[in-house]
Every structure is written in C-alpha cells, then in structure tokens.
Amino acid sequence: MNYLAHIYLSGTNDLLKIGNFMADSIKGHDYEKFDSEIKKGILLHRHIDSFTDMHPIYRQSKHRLHEKFGHYSGVIMDIVYDHFLAKNWKQFSETKLEDYADIFYKLLQDNYDILTDKTQNSLPYMLETNWLVCY
C-alpha cells in the first residue's frame, strides 16, 4: 500500500517503477515472465518490503496497532509512511507531487499492455481518486 515510496525509491527507470508498483500482485516466481527491468522492479519491491518489515521502528509501530487492527496493522503503517512522504515531498523532490503523480499515471497508461490484470483493473480508480496525491 505504500505505492508512493516504492515508486520514489525506483529512481528514474520507468520499467523499474512499473515493476515496483505492481509487485504486490505478482506472486512467487511469476515475476520471471516479465522484462528484465520490470523483474528488477519486482525484486526491488520485495527487498524494500523485507527491509521495512524487519526494521525495529516499523515492527514497534506495527505492534502498537496490532491489538486493535490485527492483520491490517501493516497496511495502516504503509499508508502512514506514504502520508508522511507526501506531506514532506518537497524535502525529497524538486518536482511537485501533483506533477510527479501525473507523470507516473501517464507512464502506466502508456504501458497498459504490460501491466498485470489487477493493476489494469485498479488503474481507473487510481486515476479517479488520485491515490498518490491524496495520502
């Protein structure tokens, strides 16, 4: 759910961004059927998630939420982290968040055919509600 962070951590490589963004919908070794740069994005996503999930601060924060929210505590933490990234975006990028999001949305639209079915299905909602800016 921390889409903004995953996209941002992909740097300037467009296919890496796409792979990193849609990685949650790709299970196991299914990533192997994609282009090499998209594969790298999927693996980067998994590496970022592993690093975050094992980080003591993240684990402590998630633990605080677990009693009340159970399994959803991790999702909540992802959204909170993206919220803080969006709120402090000017510290990380010279590009306005709105412009950054629009560029990424166009990238997804221009590469629609290589997106997973799940990503294709969620794209209209993502565009309509402007996920990346509305954190």
Side-chain angles (χ1 to χ4, degrees):
M1 297 297 297
N2 50 345
Y3 297 121
L4 185 60
H6 278 286
I7 297 162
Y8 178 76
L9 292 172
S10 296
T12 59
N13 182 319
D14 287 344
L15 293 178
L16 197 75
K17 286 180 187 179
I18 291 171
N20 198 339
F21 172 73
M22 64 182 187
D24 281 334
S25 66
I26 301 163
K27 303 302 178 199
H29 289 278
D30 289 349
Y31 73 93
E32 293 173 351
K33 67 182 179 181
F34 290 94
D35 170 89
S36 65
E37 292 302 302
I38 291 180
K39 282 184 207 177
K40 288 179 189 176
I42 295 164
L43 294 174
L44 175 60
H45 181 102
R46 292 175 180 182
H47 179 75
I48 291 167
D49 280 356
S50 293
F51 175 82
T52 305
D53 290 348
M54 298 309 294
H55 197 281
I57 294 172
Y58 179 87
R59 291 172 63 91
Q60 182 180 20
S61 299
K62 185 177 169 183
H63 179 72
R64 287 181 182 140
L65 296 173
H66 190 70
E67 184 176 322
K68 185 171 183 177
F69 299 104
H71 172 72
Y72 296 104
S73 60
V75 173
I76 293 167
M77 288 308 306
D78 286 350
I79 293 170
V80 167
Y81 283 144
D82 259 12
H83 164 75
F84 285 117
L85 175 58
K87 184 176 168 61
N88 297 291
W89 184 256
K90 291 178 185 177
Q91 295 178 26
F92 301 98
S93 178
E94 294 180 8
T95 305
K96 287 177 43 179
L97 178 57
E98 293 80 3
D99 295 338
Y100 185 86
D102 287 343
I103 292 166
F104 184 71
Y105 298 150
K106 180 157 180 15
L107 175 66
L108 292 178
Q109 291 170 312
D110 290 347
N111 291 279
Y112 186 83
D113 293 340
I114 64 172
L115 302 178
T116 62
D117 290 344
K118 183 177 179 182
T119 305
Q120 288 177 347
N121 292 335
S122 63
L123 186 57
Y125 180 73
M126 180 183 196
L127 298 172
E128 181 182 326
T129 57
N130 199 3
W131 283 0
L132 300 177
V133 176
C134 290
Y135 278 110

